[in-house]
Each structure stands twice: as structure tokens, then as C-alpha cells.
Amino acid sequence: MENNRFARRRPDTDLGAKYRAVRSDTDQLCDGLSEADAVVQSMDDASPAKWHLAHTTWFFETFLLKPHLPGYTEFDPAFGFLFNSYYEGAGERHARPQRGMITRPSLETVFAYRRHVDEAMSSLLRGYCPDILELATLGLHHEQQHQELLLTDLLHLFAQNPTHPAYRGGEPLPMHNVEPDPLTWHQFDGGLVDIGADDGTFHFDCEGPRHKALVHPFELASRTVTAGEWIEFIEDGGYVTPSLWLSDGWARVQSDGWSAPLYWAHENATWQSMTLRGFQPVDHAAPVCHVSYFEADAFASWIGARLPTEFEWEHAAAKTPVTGNLVTSGRLRPRPQRGGETSPVGLFGDVWEWTSSAFLPFPGYKPLDGTVGEYNGKFMSGQMVLRGGSCATPDGHIRSSYRNFFQPEKRWQYSGLRLARDAD
Amino acid sequence: MENNRFARRRPDTDLGAKYRAVRSDTDQLCDGLSEADAVVQSMDDASPAKWHLAHTTWFFETFLLKPHLPGYTEFDPAFGFLFNSYYEGAGERHARPQRGMITRPSLETVFAYRRHVDEAMSSLLRGYCPDILELATLGLHHEQQHQELLLTDLLHLFAQNPTHPAYRGGEPLPMHNVEPDPLTWHQFDGGLVDIGADDGTFHFDCEGPRHKALVHPFELASRTVTAGEWIEFIEDGGYVTPSLWLSDGWARVQSDGWSAPLYWAHENATWQSMTLRGFQPVDHAAPVCHVSYFEADAFASWIGARLPTEFEWEHAAAKTPVTGNLVTSGRLRPRPQRGGETSPVGLFGDVWEWTSSAFLPFPGYKPLDGTVGEYNGKFMSGQMVLRGGSCATPDGHIRSSYRNFFQPEKRWQYSGLRLARDAD
Amino acid sequence: MENNRFARRRPDTDLGAKYRAVRSDTDQLCDGLSEADAVVQSMDDASPAKWHLAHTTWFFETFLLKPHLPGYTEFDPAFGFLFNSYYEGAGERHARPQRGMITRPSLETVFAYRRHVDEAMSSLLRGYCPDILELATLGLHHEQQHQELLLTDLLHLFAQNPTHPAYRGGEPLPMHNVEPDPLTWHQFDGGLVDIGADDGTFHFDCEGPRHKALVHPFELASRTVTAGEWIEFIEDGGYVTPSLWLSDGWARVQSDGWSAPLYWAHENATWQSMTLRGFQPVDHAAPVCHVSYFEADAFASWIGARLPTEFEWEHAAAKTPVTGNLVTSGRLRPRPQRGGETSPVGLFGDVWEWTSSAFLPFPGYKPLDGTVGEYNGKFMSGQMVLRGGSCATPDGHIRSSYRNFFQPEKRWQYSGLRLARDAD
Amino acid sequence: MENNRFARRRPDTDLGAKYRAVRSDTDQLCDGLSEADAVVQSMDDASPAKWHLAHTTWFFETFLLKPHLPGYTEFDPAFGFLFNSYYEGAGERHARPQRGMITRPSLETVFAYRRHVDEAMSSLLRGYCPDILELATLGLHHEQQHQELLLTDLLHLFAQNPTHPAYRGGEPLPMHNVEPDPLTWHQFDGGLVDIGADDGTFHFDCEGPRHKALVHPFELASRTVTAGEWIEFIEDGGYVTPSLWLSDGWARVQSDGWSAPLYWAHENATWQSMTLRGFQPVDHAAPVCHVSYFEADAFASWIGARLPTEFEWEHAAAKTPVTGNLVTSGRLRPRPQRGGETSPVGLFGDVWEWTSSAFLPFPGYKPLDGTVGEYNGKFMSGQMVLRGGSCATPDGHIRSSYRNFFQPEKRWQYSGLRLARDAD
């Protein structure tokens, strides 16, 4: 088995156009950000917007332009140190918790860096070397990942500000606080199912190789858990009942004082939440988000269900069209999920769905060769798999085999849950 | 499916004898310990010997005697608070990191507590209520687990003492530093295999329910990795090469300054190690132990193999007789594993073997009802499965379905590794 | 000025008898302690009783016997490492927070060590070399300091035990909860006063050189603040009013959750306190103790007074007989201070009195030569001076020039306060 | 004695002009800073430039305009929470370590806030109520303090940036690496001297009341210690010799890995240092700066001298003209001190000089009434006094009675040292 290719397919005939589109999307996400908004790092897990802008560019410069474009002139030799994220193979780098210290180069210079690299990439992509095209495709998917992080990191930053800045202005919220659809259960047979991405389309290395997995008969909820249901959990003592929690989860409840999802505040007898549209009332009918794996698991215990495995989830999602409330909807918040009578809805978009699977290698997995091999494999410990994308995920970036992963206590992503249970 | 029974079998006809034997084993492990040795807690993960003596007794008092023996008189009402470990359902308890503060009650009083409970248990066991017998059996296996912890915790304590006290006197070490047997590979077919314990014998809840799992064709090493092979890893820069490590593992190497297994010291050009028999030269031919999951995984990467999944391990071990270098051998150290030409050897005893599987529930798992349901289920996050028992595990306590679990950075158990690889 | 002598006087004619008496006092303080009581270290600031027993012995062995007694045979070469406290000049040493790991050598061996050193000291003291006699005198005062620490460290250890062990049995407390004498003020003129110890008697280096200091007219309270007065402070919101506190003190109130003196608990509408005689009702008429400098300062602010400087205190105490409720009284608790009509009472014994003076060198101070020069000088930063001794201080160890010192947040000593104010 | 006035004098006849000058100085210090430079907080001790701009303005708004200017309209009610520093009496406030999260309001809005307050202050100052004028004077001195902090905080921020941004462009350094003047000693008689500020001029409350203090005969060095002398200390093992250090200092050397002053780096066999003019060679003849009290004290021990008390320093400085290398020189770095043959030079400007005095109240000290009473008094614990101002101190802000104070481990201020010793 040939293992040094993340994608074993013909390159896109119009990768240049795709490149321009993805890069331009990133720029547009930064519309309206000040130099200040773009520089601050609000916690170790988050990165400044400026860093995201530069790091995604560094990826192209480091893995594409420097090795493959003859005569390419590096924009600034200091940037290799400043904007490497975690690639040990790419040399020394600035400490992660110090990313917010980089007030200079300015945002303007970083945009100039982007233009410089874009021009060179434009030359490079005119050639048709498959190796390059595949790396460039990886670079674009990498950039799309950072588009989502850019949004979640900004939300975290703005949530630290007592004045509650809104990233984008108020939206009409017509479905607000209508009743959610009732939760129903869809049954799935067990058996040997196909898991993982086909070599014929782009995917990250951790999504393969495609293989058989055994799934036992199960049922999956028609939609994700709503904020209104979460409020019932709170009101029923969910956060003060240790028997519902994993031991590490309960320790976290106590040490971090959790009593509601991240960003929620109870004011004047209503639940409010910081969002990318400012401080807003919680929409009871919409999916709950900003909950950790520990909270998701405790909720499932409370209601007498469980989280699905990632194999169950993928099996259920495999034939579902990849559409939903993604970043392109412009909504920037989960929306109530409707119409799950005949099959589960909302599998893609709205909120990432925690699964009960640890992020571990699939049978036969080997990382990519070289430094890009550090992309996923070295994170295969201590993290849980999430599936399906969120309202902050770019279109074209999500698919049924996509494996996102975070530590079980993390809450700043758009993470929610869908229930599962054993079939009799 | 009836789920509120950990063991669905006829009780032992002679549970009373078994009770006396296990309890007496615990006492004997404490021979030669001073009041001081028995009281100190050397780190948050460890507990004092006196605490182990009392906590195992508290288990019988709390779950057997108080609810089931009419007229039972509690030994001391304060002990419920002092010697509960982590059972939220059994009420408030002394903070774990404070276990070493309990200089009183004295060791003698704790032994009196043991006698008090033993006498009452003797009465109770004369009846034949199946519920009680099953709980008592659980209590004995619980005590055996603490027998192993008592030894590993003592080793940790003595290892903090610059005078290197020996728990037991020097042993003859005839096989010391002979050549190890060469490592060979044994091939296993893939397919659907049976995993988990049968209801007909005792097992912890997390070992069931028995179910089918899919295993892909694989090869398993004839023996575990030796200390001599580990020294090659060290000398080849294993601890200074980030590309071999999981990201969290590499962070730990740096923060904790790992450069060899726990308890090892390089003195006068030889590797020495603190052991239960004092400070001793490392036996190159014997299994390496006191390595974390992170180290085991890095070693496997270095040599171009991987760790087995717990399903592969159990499948390979299912038909192997459960014999090996357990605590009953009195050796208290791993010994070189010989004779693996036709099938893997050393699967039981010597060292716990890290698997690549996260400690997660089996399909259909439900914890026991009531407070004893906190035994395993609430720890199903952030831990990896180890299999096979060690030189500190009591006879009769280990079996092929036994799932031990620790966080991936823990090193104070007798933890080693056996390599696996994909079959072509 | 000759500076290499801590005491510039004729040696005691009967130092041998004094040596035997002090050493025997230490032994007697350990009566009734188990091996377990003697080995545990309850916090970094505290040391195990066994360590105190050994360290004070190590002092004589290291500074007297090894350099000065020809043919002296070291008891155990490992002890130099184990029982050095903080003397960088005496070589490497066991880390302070690890003192509680030393379950071996046993308590019995440590007593044998004491006998071994005592015998050798007996020979050494038969000679009359002034250098030796002075160092031996220093060693005895050093041992007396550790006698007090041994008691305060034991109290801290027992206070961690939910069963509240009593170090010594109950005492008759005839003065319990009688009314305290009213607090009156004694006036002192300002001027140049003599501060510091005379060369003619033993003193620690930090008590000298004797020098002039300028004192402004002041008033000193007739007695120390009582527990009853402290309860008024609590009830008036003392612990929840930031304006009363130094900034660092207020931060400590919040981070450590202070709401009463150390060891106090409010149970069944009364204040109780852990003491060396077990868990006892607080004696309202007795001096409050186990308060930090921060608390003492906040109390003084609350009542509109201040703490005295160490110069004011020493000036007031200089002519007072050195008698009071010291350890020899056997009471082991502060007792109500009576009879301060004509001059301040309780200056010596009961509780150490926090002063408003930072522990800094007196003009012309130089530490002793050699390793014993590390005794005091290197601690002259970040600590406040306390004066007067406590109910745990040995007779003959306290004097008006004695400077004790602790960090302003420390509370486990018998520390209380006496108020002062400016005279008009 | 009347105690509720920090300044007991006639107000400046032209306070309005002074107000405009000081406020304009602050603005000018921010010339060239980007939004990003102005928003980031590089450590808990430092504050963002934007915060300094707003907080100094908040001071006038809170203590002058809101209580005293009828009809004054608050600029933004949220600012009271955002820009209060530590005044408990002024209500709740944003947590100090979160100051860097405030990307909005923008820098432009903060400048608008300044203009808004300046206009209102202009009205207010036209009246001549002494109370107001005194508070306004306090506000201006407060602002000058923040001018210095703004510079030291910026230096700290830029020092975290691997690209070493320069706050101001390169300067001609004509005296660079010339030989320093030899260090000579100036003798001072002992006796009762006058310490503290006169009521006739502005001073902070902690500088008074003026009182007598006793000073023993002493000698003071003609100039501060130079960087070249510090290099000798380093090369002689100053940072690896525990006997030179206070105990807390040595702990800090080890925990923080100190081996040179803050910002120094040894590259290509020369010492370089981050400065407000970028990364520059260390000037051997100029005063060393960015050393902690612990380092200053260790240096003095090494050379066989000591630090002066604040009383010695003030006595020596009392008759010296208040001139020197202050921020107005534009140099932004210490410069070699010349010409100390007849009396000490460089007492004012260049570097703050650590004294051996703890920051404690002068006899008779009482804080100002009301919330401004929190200005100094509550910090009188755990800090050491520095005297004389630095190259970052505004002209007109320093005087011989000025008491600056920092914790003994702090290094980011322009802190250096001058040696003293006892006269025979």
C-alpha cells in the first residue's frame, strides 16, 4: 500500500480558482477587525486573527513555495519562527502562549505577506505537478480549518470584554424560541460497515484508510439536543449531581465552577449568551453549543441515553447530503433543526457533535511522510472525536468521514451533541 | 438483559476460605513495615499502606456488613469519612491528597479494625444469600487490586528516600543479564472475535458484556520489550527526538525531564533502578517496566511497529493458560521471558502491557446498580487500557479479559509493552 | 569591631549540664508520639518531629564534633544529606518538601543518633575552648528553637486529621471564658533608646550590634488582643471589608478563604479551635493566636490603632522581667493576661507579637563567619519581626532583644498581637 | 495634626497650563504606537498603553469631575468598570490580568475620552477651590507615574517579540563603552536628620509626615554600579554562588533561571540588551539597570558593601539639585555618570536606586481620606523602596523625598543600585 499520499486522485482542474476563493474567504472574515482585535490572544488554546492569517500563509510558503518554486524570495525570514504552529520538523518556533505578543508585524504587513505568497502560488499552480497540487489542496483545507478557528477564537476574545462587542451586526431571528420539533429515534441495523474516506476525494490522513468496522444495532436521535432541553438539565440539578458525571468531568465542574454552557449567563431570569452577534437571549429551540464532552456525556446519562460512537455517526451520515447551516449561511449561530421525521437532520452544520470515540488511528493508519505528517497523528491521545461541522465551518470543508478532535473539557468550539442508544 | 449483576454465576462453595486467604495475603504484604512506612503518602496518586489496609476493610463494612448483617456494630464511625476512596454515593470523604496525614488511628488500630470486620464477615458468609456472596467476591477482588497498589505505592515511597530502603531482601538473580531470547512475530488472522468476560465467572463490570469485535490480521511479538532494547532506544536518542512522540508525550518529556524509565539512574556507566529489593542493576534481558503509555508509543514508533489494541491482545491471550511471574512467585521483579517460539510468552505477569486502546465502555455496557457502580464506569475518560497483570498482581486476580487502566503519563505501576504490527 | 563572635562573653561554667537539660527537654516533647506521628510532614513549612530530632543533632555533629573532636566517628554518612536544613555551605541536602518521605531511618535509630552525638559532645564539652563553647551554646539555642517548631508543626499535623488527636490530655481551664481585663494604654516617651543585645549574654547575630534607635512618643496596650475581641472583629465584617486590609493581605483573604484565625471552626454557634489539647472551645479572655501579620494589621486598622515597631516593643519590654506563660508552664495554650494596670503584661510568653517592622539588619550587622553565618542573615527579606515568645517557647530562650521572623501570611505559629498608637 | 490633605500649600497659579502640559506629554509618548501596540498586556504586572491612557483619564473623571463639576456627563458608564485600577472604594473593576482583552473601545475612542475629560477639566480648573486643585495636582502626578509605567510596559512588550521592535529610532551613543569614572566614596556624618517631604510642596502621602530619623555615619558611592562592573560580577560566578544571595533571592535565581539582568542576552561573545531603542550592545560605562533587589543585594555582598537605607539616600540627596537624565533628555537609556569627585552624582535620573529599606509607613503616617487613601498605604508590605527616578521618569515628578516601591524580585523597571558602607 502506497502511504505517502493524502489524496490519491486527479487534481482539481481549477485549483487556482479554488485557491483564490478560499484565500479571499479568509480575508473577508477579517473585515471589520481592528489591529487590536486581530492581535490579542485570549487564552492559550486560541490564536490571534493576525496569527491565523499569517500561519496559513506560512504553510504555503514553507511546504510549497520554498521547496518547489525556483527563485522564490521569502517574504521575511523571521516569519518562519513566528508563524510555525507545531511542526517540529519545520524548526524552532515562537511559543504558543506568546502568539499575542506580536504587535508587529502589523496587520497590514501580514496582508502584504498574504499577497506576496498568493502571487507566487499563482505561478506555482500554473504547473501541474501532482505532488504540488495535492499539497496545495491540503493547504487550502488547512486554511479552512483556520477560518473556523479564527471565528471561535474571536468569539472567545470578545466574550472576555465586559462591553460584549458583536463581531457581526444583529440578524433577524424569525425562528427564535418557537417550539423545537420533538425528538424521535431512527433505528440502524448492526453489521460490518465501511468507515473512512475513499482515496478518490480529498481527506486528511486520519480519515483513512477506509476499512470495515463492526457496528451493533443502534438508534440515533432525529436532531441534536436543544438549548431548551439543556435548561431542563440545569434546572434538574445536572451540574450538582456527581453521579451523572465522569470522574474527570466532575473534577472539572468543581475546579472551573461550571454551571451552564460556556458563554451563558443568567440575567433577569433569562439565559443569555455571548455570540458572534453580541450578547443575545439563548434560543431554546436551537441546538445547545459550547458544551464539553464531559457535559455532553453527563447530559446523556441524565436522560438515560448515550453518545454515538464515531462509527455509528458516520454510518448514519454516510448517505446524507452534506448540507446544513454552515458558515456560508451567514447566520453564525446554530438554528433549530426541523423535519427529522424520516431520517436524522442537522448532521452537518449547526454544531459539532461529540462522539464517544477517542481520537485514535484507524487500522492501517500511517501519517503522511515528512513534516506534514505531524498534521494529525501526533494528536492521537487524550482527545475525543467530533463529527459533522458547525455554523462556523466553511462549505466544502465538511464530509461524513471528517474527524474533528478536542480534549474532553474544551468548550470554545461550536460543540453540541446528538443522543444515541442501543437497539434492543 | 439483566444488568445489575457483576457476576452471574453460582457463588463459590468455599468463599469463607477464600476470604480468609485474601485478607491474610494483605496482612503478610505488610510484614516488616513500620508505622512510619505505613502512614506516608508519597504523591497524590499513591496511598499509604495503612490506608489500603483500612479502605479494603471499609469496603466490606460499608457494602456488606452495615446493610446486610443485623446487629453489626460499626468499628468507628469516623472511619467512613477517613477510608472512603471515591464513592460519591457513600458520602463525604477525606481528600485524597490528605491520606498521608492520618497518623492516628495507629497501624495497630487498623489491624484491630480488620479483625473486627473479619469476624463479622465470617458470620455473614455463613449465610448463602447470592447477593451477599457476589458483593463479597467483588470485595475480595477489590482487595487484591489494592494489594498490587500497596506494593507499587511502597516502591514509590521508598524511591523518594535517598537511602534506598529495600522492601524485601536481596534475591538470587540467576538469569541476570543473560541474553534475552530473540524477538519473533506470531501471526493472527482477522475476523470477528469474542471479547469480554463470560457471565459464568467473576469479572468486573467493565469487562462485559461479552461481544463480538472485528480484528484485522495482525502480528504480535513473542515477548515484551526488554530493558536492554530500551537502553538502545535511549542511546539512539529516543528521549530527544520529538518526531517519535505524541504531542502530549513530548510535552511531558520536556516538563518532567524524562530521559529513562521511572526509577532508573545512570551511575558509574551502568543503569541502576530502584526496586522493591532496593537499588539494583537493571536486568537487560528482563522486560522494561515503569514506562508510560507515551514512552511505550514512542518506542514502538522508533522501531517501526505499534502497540496492540486491547482486542488484539485479548484475542491472542484468550487461549493461553493464565500463568506467569505474578506476586506469588515472590520475585517482585519482571524476569526474562523465554520460549516464545511457537506462541507469545509472558502475556500474564511480569509487566502490564500498554495497549493502544482508550478505556471506554464495551457495547451494551452498564455499570452496576448503586454506589458500587462507581467502581469503573466513571473513569472511562482519559485513560488507556493495560492488559495481563504484573509481578505485583496476585494469583487468581488476572484473566484474559481483565482491563486495567491508567492515564497515559503514569509510570509508577509495573507497566511495559509488547509490540504489534499489521499483517500484510 | 570584631565581628566573628556571636557571643562575646565567658562561657557558662556548667555548659555540660545545660546541654543535657536541653537535649532531654527535646526527648520529652516527643513522649507519646508514634513512629507515624514523628514522620509525617503536613506542609512545606513544617517538618516532621523525627526530622527536628535529627537535624538538631546534625548541627552538633557538623559544626562541633566533626571539626573539633579528634577521632570522632560519624554516626551515618547519609545523615549529612538527610538532615541539613538550609546551609548551602554544608553541602547538598534533601529537598525541604521531601522531609516527610524519610520513613527510614526509624525513630529508634534517630534516638540512637542522639545518644551517639550526646556522648561525643560530653567529651568535647569537658575541654574549655571558648570557640567550642560558644558554638555549643549556639547549638542549644538552635535546639530550643526547634523545640517550639516541633510543637507548632505537630499541631498543624494533628489539625489535618479529622479525628482531632490531642497531643496532651485535657487540662483544667479555670480561667476559661471569664471576662478579660479591660485594655488600657501605657505611655512611653520618645528619644534615642538602646536596641539590641549586649555582648555580655548569648544572642543570635541578628539581635546585634546593640545600637541607638530613635523612638517617637507612643502608647502600648496593657495586654494583647483577646479571642473575644477578635470575634467582634469577625462579627463586624472584618474579613469581608477590603478597606481594612493591606493589598497583599486582602488577596490572601480571597485566595485562601480566610474568615477566622487558623484552626478555628464555627460549630453549633460557638467558636472551637484545634489545639495541642485537642479540639476545644475558644477561650474569649485569652490572647487570640494563629493570626497572620495581615490579619493583625487589619485588626489594628479596624480598631483605629496600629502595631508597634520592634523598637517600641523592645524599649517597652527592656526592663520587664522575662517571665510568662512559656512552654514550661505545661499549659500549651495562651492564658488570659491579668494585671496590666501599671505596665504592660504578657510581653513574654502566651503569643508572639507581630510588630510593624520588617526583618532587616541592624546598623552594622554582619553575619557570623562561615556556614553558621547562614543562620539568620539570608532570611532578611519578605519577613516581619515578632517579639516576646509564646506558650510553646522554652524557658531561657526568650529575651527582650529576641527577634523572631515569619512571612506576613504565616499563621501556624502562636502568633498574636498587641496594639500601639502614637502619643499626642 | 490635620491629616486629610496630601498637600498643604497654595495651589499653583497656573494649574491649567500644567494640566495641559502633562496630558499632552502622555499623548506624545504614544506617538507611533499602533492599535495593536497599545492593546496588548505582556504580563500581569504590566498594563497596555491604551489602559494607561484611559485609566489616568478615569482618575480625573472619578475623583474630580463626577463629584465636583455640576452637569458633567460621563463619557461612557462602562469605563468605570474597565479602567479602575485597584480602588476598592470606587467599586467593582475589571480583573488586572484581563486588561489586555479590551480591544474595544478603540484607541481612537480612548483619545476621544481624553479630549472629553480634558474639556471638562478645563472648566473645572477655572474655579479655585483648593480641594479640587489639590486633587487635580494629585491626578497630574498620578498621570506622570503612569507615563513611566507606559514606557516600561512597552519595553516589556517589545522584548517578548523576537523581531525586537524599537520604540524610538537609534540614537547617537557617543559615550558608548568609554571607561566609566572610578568609583569613589563620599562620607556622611551620622545624627538626627530630617526625612520626608515638607508640607509646602506637593508630595504623595507616603512621603510624610516629615520627621527626624537617626542615621549612623556612612559612606555613599560616587555613582551607581555600571554594566561593566555587573559583567565582572557575572564572570566571577555571581549568579551561581548561593552564599551571596538572600534565601528568597537564590530561590528566584533557580526558579526563574536568572543569569544576567532582565533583557540581556549574550550573543557572539558580547552582551546585548533589549531597550526602547531596540536590541543594542550593553554600554559598559552606563549604570546597570533592570536588576531586582535580590540581584542588587547579591552584588553588594559580592563586593563587600551594602545598599543604602532610604534615610541615608535621602539625607545625601536632600541638598542635591534635582537634575539628571530623565525622560525629557529623550535618551531613554541610562548614561555614564561623570564627575562624582566632590559629591555623589546621578542621584536623580538614569536608574531607580534600590535601598535596603522596606516600604513602611513613616512615623505618624496616615493615608488620605476616602478612596484616594488607597493610593499608597495598602501597598506597605512586601516591597522595597527605590529612590531617585530614572531615564523614564518625567521632569518635575521626582524629588529627594520620593519613595518608589516594588517587590524585591521585580526587574522590568529601570532599577539599578548605588553602594553604601558603614563609616568606621
Side-chain angles (χ1 to χ4, degrees), chain A residues 32 35-37 40 100 103-104 161, chain D residues 32 35-37 40 100 103-104 161:
Chain A
E35 274 271 352
D37 296 333
V40 172
T103 63
R104 303 174 185 195
N161 192 325
Chain D
E35 274 270 353
D37 295 333
V40 173
T103 62
R104 304 175 186 194
N161 191 325

Side-chain angles (χ1 to χ4, degrees), chain D residues 170-180 277 280-281 283-286 325 329-331 333-336 338:
Chain D
E171 47 158 1
L173 292 164
M175 299 164 82
H176 186 63
N177 279 341
V178 298
E179 279 301 299
R277 295 181 181 280
Q280 298 279 350
D283 182 345
H284 289 219
N325 177 23
S329 80
R331 188 177 171 93
R333 295 179 65 182
R335 96 182 137 203
R338 303 271 171 218

Side-chain angles (χ1 to χ4, degrees), chain D residues 347-391:
Chain D
L347 287 160
F348 297 103
D350 286 326
V351 293
W352 287 98
E353 303 180 16
W354 284 108
T355 74
S356 64
S357 298
F359 182 53
L360 291 171
F362 284 165
Y365 168 74
K366 289 205 181 54
L368 296 179
D369 285 343
T371 300
V372 290
E374 299 183 43
Y375 205 107
N376 290 300
K378 74 179 182 184
F379 300 109
M380 289 178 173
S381 108
Q383 314 213 34
M384 302 302 288
V385 173
L386 302 100
R387 295 290 197 126
S390 81
C391 59

Side-chain angles (χ1 to χ4, degrees), chain B residues 79-338:
Chain B
F79 284 20
F81 182 84
L82 286 178
F83 299 124
N84 178 1
S85 51
Y86 54 68
Y87 296 89
E88 304 275 352
E92 295 287 308
R93 62 203 172 285
H94 198 49
R96 179 177 183 121
Q98 294 284 302
R99 288 180 185 165
M101 298 297 115
I102 307 307
T103 64
R104 303 174 186 195
S106 69
L107 188 52
E108 195 185 327
T109 304
V110 165
F111 277 119
Y113 178 38
R114 290 180 70 84
R115 296 295 82 84
H116 176 88
V117 162
D118 288 349
E119 277 165 37
M121 281 299 297
S122 167
S123 308
L124 186 69
L125 292 177
R126 266 180 239 121
Y128 283 93
C129 161
D131 270 26
I132 286 171
L133 298 187
E134 285 173 353
L135 270 169
T137 303
L138 179 63
L140 292 178
H141 285 270
H142 171 258
E143 179 134 0
Q144 287 183 311
Q145 289 186 310
H146 281 278
Q147 287 170 2
E148 177 152 5
L149 293 171
L150 193 154
L151 289 174
T152 55
D153 293 355
L154 268 175
L155 174 55
H156 189 267
L157 169 61
F158 286 173
Q160 311 312 306
N161 192 324
T163 67
H164 299 312
Y167 165 70
R168 291 290 179 254
E171 47 158 359
L173 292 164
M175 299 162 83
H176 186 63
N177 277 343
V178 298
E179 281 300 300
D181 280 7
L183 187 154
T184 57
W185 295 93
H186 297 285
Q187 195 147 353
F188 292 83
D189 292 339
L192 289 175
V193 301
D194 290 311
I195 292 295
D198 249 336
D199 283 354
T201 57
F202 173 81
H203 57 269
F204 290 110
D205 59 3
C206 63
E207 298 171 52
R210 189 159 170 87
H211 66 287
K212 294 283 178 202
L214 178 65
V215 164
H216 298 267
F218 70 100
E219 295 181 355
L220 197 64
S222 55
R223 55 164 177 75
T224 56
V225 168
T226 64
E229 288 160 349
W230 200 271
I231 290 168
E232 289 176 49
F233 171 68
I234 294 173
E235 292 175 348
D236 193 43
Y239 283 95
V240 296
T241 307
S243 59
L244 299 174
W245 294 78
L246 287 163
S247 182
D248 288 350
W250 183 243
R252 187 66 69 158
V253 168
Q254 296 182 293
S255 67
D256 292 13
W258 288 351
S259 60
L262 183 63
Y263 302 139
W264 284 32
H266 204 234
E267 296 195 353
N268 308 319
T270 4
W271 285 103
Q272 310 275 330
S273 176
M274 184 63 186
T275 74
L276 285 172
R277 296 181 181 281
F279 201 56
Q280 298 280 349
V282 164
D283 182 346
H284 289 219
V288 68
C289 68
H290 302 305
V291 295
S292 62
Y293 172 79
F294 291 136
E295 288 163 290
D297 179 81
F299 183 94
S301 294
W302 170 71
I303 216 159
R306 59 174 174 80
L307 301 177
T309 67
E310 64 168 322
F311 309 106
E312 292 169 342
W313 193 97
E314 182 172 337
H315 178 53
K319 298 203 173 110
T320 306
V322 183
T323 58
N325 176 25
L326 297 162
V327 78
T328 343
S329 79
R331 190 178 169 93
L332 296 172
R333 295 178 65 182
R335 98 184 134 201
Q337 298 178 339
R338 303 274 171 216

Side-chain angles (χ1 to χ4, degrees), chain A residues 143-157:
Chain A
E143 179 133 359
Q144 287 183 311
Q145 289 185 310
H146 281 277
Q147 288 169 1
E148 177 152 7
L149 293 171
L150 194 154
L151 289 174
T152 55
D153 293 356
L154 269 175
L155 174 55
H156 188 267
L157 169 60

Side-chain angles (χ1 to χ4, degrees), chain C residues 363-364, chain D residues 186-193 214-220 306 312 315 420-424:
Chain D
H186 296 284
Q187 195 147 352
F188 292 83
D189 293 338
L192 288 175
V193 300
L214 179 64
V215 164
H216 299 267
F218 69 101
E219 296 181 353
L220 197 65
R306 60 173 175 81
E312 291 169 342
H315 177 54
R421 61 187 190 194
D422 298 341
D424 306 313

